[in-house]
Amino acid sequence: MALGLKCFRMFHPAFRNYLAASIKPISEVTLKTVHERQHGHRQYVAYSAVPVRHFATKKAKAKGKGHSQTRVNINAALVEDIINLEEVNEEMKSVIEALKDNFNKTLNIRTSPGSLDKIAVVTADGKLALNQISQISMKSPQLILVNMASFPECTAAAIKAIRESGMNLNPEVEGTLIRVPIPQVTREHREMLVKLAKQNTNKAKDSLRKVRTNAMNKLKKSKDTVSQDTIRLIEKQISQMADDTVAELDRHLAVKTKELLG
């Protein structure tokens, strides 16, 4: 050990600096603009934002085995002429908010009038929310009434939409009045709601994939004017954002599942 240190000190100072720098992993990658062009491409360079040597424990190494530990952190302003990362981020966040809204309004142990509000009804004028074409009220803790007097021609379509809402509802009709008995809170009902929560989460992930695909396709349009290294770095940023969003969707599903099963 002492001999090794002695040899290291004998190296030229510049070479020692090079060796020291070479063992520092990039903990976080940041994109920085270089005001030069090479072969007609805008140039960007990645540099280490936190040049610190980290020594992982065996447990951490096992957990991270097979997965890259480097996270990308691109300044959106530096690449806004290539792609608007802030806009992509907002679109991904909207997917999360839509799922949370769906969970809050349609997946509750106790069915309430508000749970029926946004049920989509197919009408001659297109799809309309149930509360736009009816009056919904709570007659008793076991019964919800849907009054279709203002749009009697949509009664049959409303019944169909309520029955196919996935909320385990079996509506009954009396003229233009739809009676919706509230199902008892059984174990089967809870499990049915959990199943519906998983289906809605998968639909949210489908929406997220569309956002990611659209962003990647837009990025590819710049491949003739931007270096391949820059394209790959931005692609990694977009994929990282999508992965973080999937993790957030799964977290909300886990919380909702626990709530529904009690």
Side-chain angles (χ1 to χ4, degrees), residues 77-257:
L78 294 178
V79 296
E80 61 182 0
D81 56 336
I82 303 173
I83 189 170
N84 191 333
L85 288 177
E86 290 184 353
E87 183 178 285
V88 175
N89 187 48
E90 287 302 316
E91 290 179 2
M92 290 186 179
K93 284 184 178 179
S94 69
V95 172
I96 297 175
E97 292 303 315
L99 182 67
K100 289 167 60 179
D101 186 63
N102 175 274
F103 280 177
N104 291 333
K105 291 182 177 179
T106 65
L107 295 178
N108 297 296
I109 295 299
R110 296 289 181 183
T111 305
S112 65
S115 302
L116 278 61
D117 284 351
K118 301 302 178 182
I119 291 178
V121 181
V122 179
T123 71
D125 297 321
K127 287 186 177 181
L128 297 174
L130 183 60
N131 65 348
Q132 291 182 283
I133 57 175
S134 68
Q135 292 181 335
I136 306 174
S137 60
M138 196 86 168
K139 182 175 179 61
S140 71
Q142 290 78 38
L143 183 65
I144 295 175
L145 298 180
V146 181
N147 192 332
M148 300 295 299
S150 298
F151 294 87
E153 68 278 8
C154 299
T155 302
I159 293 173
K160 183 174 185 293
I162 294 170
R163 186 172 287 123
E164 296 177 355
S165 65
M167 298 171 65
N168 194 30
L169 301 176
N170 293 298
E172 305 165 354
V173 63
E174 295 179 4
T176 58
L177 187 65
I178 301 174
R179 300 165 62 87
V180 185
I182 297 175
Q184 292 183 350
V185 182
T186 61
R187 185 67 183 179
E188 289 74 17
H189 180 59
R190 290 175 182 272
E191 291 175 350
M192 183 276 300
L193 291 176
V194 169
K195 183 178 180 180
L196 187 60
K198 291 179 180 178
Q199 291 175 354
N200 291 343
T201 302
N202 287 334
K203 288 179 181 178
K205 290 180 180 179
D206 288 340
S207 299
L208 176 63
R209 276 190 285 271
K210 291 180 182 177
V211 173
R212 180 186 181 278
T213 299
N214 290 339
M216 291 296 192
N217 289 339
K218 186 174 182 179
L219 183 60
K220 288 178 181 178
K221 293 179 181 179
S222 301
K223 65 180 181 180
D224 294 331
T225 57
V226 180
S227 70
Q228 285 300 310
D229 287 342
T230 301
I231 292 292
R232 282 193 289 269
L233 199 57
I234 300 176
E235 285 178 342
K236 186 172 182 178
Q237 174 77 76
I238 294 172
S239 295
Q240 178 179 288
M241 291 161 59
D243 290 343
D244 290 346
T245 304
V246 168
E248 186 70 5
L249 292 173
D250 287 337
R251 187 183 71 81
H252 285 293
L253 174 61
V255 171
K256 193 66 180 180
T257 298

Side-chain angles (χ1 to χ4, degrees), residues 46-60:
Y47 72 95
S48 175
V50 187
V52 179
R53 179 72 172 176
H54 297 286
F55 295 92
T57 62
K58 290 183 178 180
K59 184 177 181 181

